[in-house]
Amino acid sequence: MSIELGHFALILAFAIACGSAVMGYAYWRSEGRITLFVRQAAILQFLLVAASFAALIQAFVTSDFSLLLAYNNSHSLQPLLYKVTSVWGNHEGSVVLWILILVAFGAAVAMFGRRLPNDLLNLVLATQSLLVAAFTGFALFTSNAFARLDPAPFEGRDLNPILQDFGLAVHPPLLYTGYVGFSICFSFAIAALITGRIDAAWARWVRPWTMLSWTFLTLGIAMGSYWAYYELGWGGWWFWDPVENASFMPWLAGTALLHSALVMEKRNALKVWTIFLSIMTFSFSLLGTFLVRSGVLTSVHSFASDPTRGMVILSLLAAFIGGAFTLFAMRASSLRQGGLFSPISKEGSLVLNNLFLATGLGAVLVGTLYPLVLDALTGRTISVGEPFFNLTFGTLMVPLLILVPFGPFLAWKRGDLIAVTQRLAGAAALALLVVIVIFMLSGAHISLAPLGLLLGFWVMFGAIAELVDRSKLGRIPLGESWRRLKGLPRTAFSTALGHFGLGLTVIGIVVTTAWQSELITTVGAGETITLDGYQIRLDRLDEDVPGPNYKADHGEFVITAPGGGTRQAVAERRYYVASGEPTTEAAIQTYGFSQLYLQLGEDEANGRHVVRVWYKPFVTFIWLGCLIMAGAGFVSLSDRRLRVGAPKPRRSAVAGAAE
């Protein structure tokens, strides 16, 4: 019965979303009851979809295989955590999760956007309701998660083995929160184009939602990268897979939107570009949805291979994005750019930042879609891989990284580039000195790695230099500098943290790529292999070790580090009972910020196993930098000056006006 109730709740949410969209668009100029209706409708949609999602979770947890979705994607022997994550480890369930996050953002605007002008709020919530209606209709008519089986099977088919991991509990919800969160920016853009309310206040309303979405998308991409690194057993952290690119493209667009909205808020400039980016960022989120669920791609990240569903999603994408850009074109003549500024200024640096991000986004888009377009038009199949993306995107990011430390030091409207260069001279000298010392100590060969390291340290030390400069450290007494540092707004710390994290990630990428080492060999019990001074002995090998819903070849290794000290590590090759598919569970040992990565491969006829070993120096910097960037987003959101809505007039001022 709970399945039918969940299905009915989703149908009811669909009906309310349709009604809210119609009323919001038809009477957007109205106040009072209309505004109250669309606000209450947004909250009610969230409650209904949450109830629908809870019904799915109950069916999976109780192994109710009369639900077709549970039968296809669950098994009674699965641990409880994986029964829950199986809800969104498939196409239909992930669509319901998408809708749940979509209505959650709509409800958040309804609850926390009370200070928004009523006409703007009506249109924002109407647009959100239209998105909810579209995706709920898609779920109900083409991707029904509540289909029943009669009679009910005794056992389920099990979830894809590589998805039976804790990473699936974290990665999709984080990623979807980022993806779907940009729908709020899209809704604000549509509302602004209809009302003509495109000013600094609008940017102030949009920026917190952009920051929140960008932060969660950063965490989602980082978690997905780490999941692929430790779960797939290939030892890599990024493959330029088309579905990986599909999440990276809205991140690039969202990063550009963050910087553009800042210029619009502070200087009332870049209005047209900010509106354009608000539409484009969500467009790339929808494009990612199409790529994952259309069947045009073959990837471990893909959920569906049904062309019919793909065409429906493509139609939704065309309708929303086409409609938004049609409205944008109709209103373009009435849009004004706003304040003027010199090319050498904070605004100018942010525009240049946007230019490089947009160009890099274009390179990733071309590399991702070109093989698909070529296949569709000519039938030829080609692969665009790592060399293309590294050459194009990597080259475009070099000038961007050089530019990053300059932005915070430049003044609004007109800046002094020579003065800023002098203030950053210490950071540049320190970065160069550190790189020289590293290469002297390591005896590294000449390559492009020094340039990458120099850029990473330059961005990191530039971020620190900003805080040092603003606190006047070394120019005034230490106590006063400390007071100035504590008095800085949280957005200043957010900017510094974000840039510092970016530099740290760049260093992790460069060092891991340039100096990692790899060994592939066969090993028998008791044998020892050596890599970069690490001695790895296969101490014991057990076959067909039973697990909850799998059997495993279980290898116990003893690792002796170059400086002494031993550790035990376990690597497995699992075979799942229901599907028979194999997966690998890598043994990863962290030494400082570096890692030794062991993967137990195929078994040989003579009782030996293939073992792959990687030593990855400072690889954890990649994800640590991403966590710092995401932390910078939360620091910015905690700034009380970053409010959602316009301040209400003071009581005394209103009373004085009345008198």
Side-chain angles (χ1 to χ4, degrees), residues 621-639:
F621 277 5
I622 297 173
W623 303 293
L624 182 59
C626 292
L627 291 177
I628 292 174
M629 283 190 279
F634 288 119
V635 170
S636 178
L637 289 168
S638 70
D639 194 329

Side-chain angles (χ1 to χ4, degrees), residues 75 77-79 164 543-554 572-577:
H75 194 279
L77 295 179
Q78 282 181 200
Q164 296 187 39
E543 296 184 349
D544 295 332
V545 177
N549 59 334
Y550 60 84
K551 292 183 178 180
D553 293 342
H554 181 92
E572 289 185 339
R573 186 170 179 84
R574 295 177 178 176
Y575 302 88
Y576 282 77
V577 175

Side-chain angles (χ1 to χ4, degrees), residues 91-93 95-96 137-146 309:
H91 169 74
E92 293 83 358
V95 171
V96 179
F138 171 72
L140 290 172
F141 299 114
T142 71
S143 306
N144 184 12
F146 297 93
R309 293 172 176 174

